[in-house]
Amino acid sequence: MLISRFAPSPTGLLHLGHAYSALLAHDFAARHGGIFKLRIEDIDPGRTRSEHVDAIIEDLSWLGVAWQGEILFQSRRLPVYGQALDRLRAMDLLYPCFCTRASIAAEVAASAAAPHGPEGAVYPGTCRVLGEGERRQLMAERPHAWRLDMARAATLAGTLYWHDDHTEVVAEPEAFGDVVLARKDAPTSYHLAVTIDDAAQGVTDVVRGRDLYAATDIHRLLQALLDLPTPTYHHHSLLADAAGRRLAKRHGAPTLADLRLKGVDPKKLAEDLRGGRLPAGYSAAGA
Ligand code: GLU
């Protein structure tokens, strides 16, 4: 049975780009006689708001995007992520990181040849080389994140592939460096939780925006390390405004809540978005 999903983070209101993605994921399942699921990725304690969760549910219902089964809330699954972290720790693939954003930025700035990956400057590995004694002492004293030792993990996993539609892609997670799998302020991370939950929800087909294409390399690596199945991915292009900019709140993209309050017809809106069109009056959003 084909299963797709929509997995928004309730850190803001949904805008037209989210609606487009939700419709594509929903329609993909419908077209194949499959199931469409909803997951709320509410693991960021500083930015998650319960009113945004309510708004997501209201917006999707208004738009006619119906999901099947229970909504999965990531905030209720922290012990599951903890077990995966234990497993990776037992494989000697994680290390605690005590660095702050500022200390990493200073170190990167001081190095002429600091490598950059898809998510910006690659972590310079400062805490990877700490001795056992120092590590133990710092762990008792300071908050810490857990990073993946990427070189070890990639070597252990060997060459990995995933499919974007029918195209086979070679995963290159090394470009990201030692990614954080558990944050200082949350006992998990986007990469870890998304990978575990796509498997937990039986997702066979991930339909999501092109902005997450590169991150799939990390998800593929985590699947290999944790013995999880690999879905087929379908990364779609991002809606752009008349100025060619990707729709985003900071560029004035209208939220679904705005459109709902303005009395926009949700059927017409869904039809426009399915055709890759922004609704009339919004084609120059933010311009
Ligand atoms: N929660 C992520 C976001 O809102 C999307 C995760 C995914 O589709 O893989 O950007």
Side-chain angles (χ1 to χ4, degrees):
M1 170 68 79
L2 184 149
I3 301 180
S4 73
R5 49 71 164 178
F6 179 53
S9 305
T11 54
L13 292 168
L14 299 185
H15 57 67
L16 288 172
H18 294 112
Y20 180 58
S21 203
L23 283 163
L24 291 185
H26 168 272
D27 292 0
F28 189 89
R31 218 169 30 247
H32 293 91
I35 290 178
F36 171 72
K37 295 189 176 179
L38 179 60
R39 177 166 78 235
I40 302 290
E41 302 211 321
D42 52 352
I43 51 167
D44 187 331
R47 295 171 62 218
T48 289
R49 298 272 176 279
S50 66
E51 59 267 32
H52 292 145
V53 176
D54 297 342
I56 287 169
I57 291 170
E58 227 171 303
D59 287 344
L60 292 178
S61 305
W62 174 73
L63 199 60
V65 173
W67 60 91
Q68 280 147 287
E70 300 263 303
I71 301 174
L72 185 144
F73 289 88
Q74 290 192 323
S75 59
R76 299 180 190 163
R77 292 175 46 78
L78 302 184
V80 176
Y81 311 136
Q83 280 164 16
L85 290 164
D86 285 344
R87 182 164 164 185
L88 296 172
R89 226 177 267 120
M91 293 162 81
D92 208 12
L93 294 177
L94 299 186
Y95 63 86
C97 175
F98 309 93
C99 295
T100 60
R101 262 178 214 279
S103 70
I104 296 172
E107 199 162 334
V108 166
S111 145
H116 279 63
E119 286 179 342
V122 168
Y123 176 65
T126 324
C127 290
R128 192 194 321 121
V129 294
L130 291 178
E132 232 0 89
E134 193 175 1
R135 196 168 267 171
R136 251 199 306 275
Q137 188 180 344
L138 284 170
M139 277 180 71
E141 291 168 1
R142 303 242 296 263
H144 50 275
W146 288 91
R147 286 187 183 272
L148 182 69
D149 184 331
M150 182 58 84
R152 279 176 92 100
T155 303
L156 184 69
T159 307
L160 298 169
Y161 304 87
W162 52 274
H163 279 87
D164 196 74
D165 286 322
H166 298 295
T167 306
E168 190 175 65
V169 182
V170 180
E172 291 172 353
E174 297 93 327
F176 285 83
D178 294 354
V179 288
V180 168
L181 291 192
R183 299 156 43 138
K184 273 185 193 166
D185 63 345
T188 184
S189 65
Y190 160 64
H191 295 307
L192 183 69
V194 81
T195 304
I196 291 176
D197 288 343
D198 278 335
Q201 290 189 291
V203 172
T204 60
D205 291 79
V206 173
V207 180
R208 63 183 177 190
R210 193 86 196 159
D211 50 330
L212 292 168
Y213 184 92
T216 310
D217 288 354
I218 301 176
H219 306 165
R220 179 66 190 90
L221 173 62
L222 293 173
Q223 287 154 9
L225 298 174
L226 295 168
D227 289 318
L228 300 173
T230 303
T232 302
Y233 292 85
H234 310 270
H235 290 96
H236 61 75
S237 56
L238 302 175
L239 280 185
D241 64 19
R245 290 177 311 195
R246 171 187 165 190
L247 282 191
K249 222 165 44 185
R250 64 181 182 284
H251 296 150
T255 65
L256 297 187
D258 289 338
L259 299 175
R260 193 150 39 94
L261 284 175
K262 280 200 175 115
V264 163
D265 174 5
K267 283 213 177 66
K268 174 79 174 66
L269 173 64
E271 192 182 303
D272 279 339
L273 289 172
R274 284 185 164 110
R277 294 179 302 273
L278 293 181
Y282 288 100
S283 51

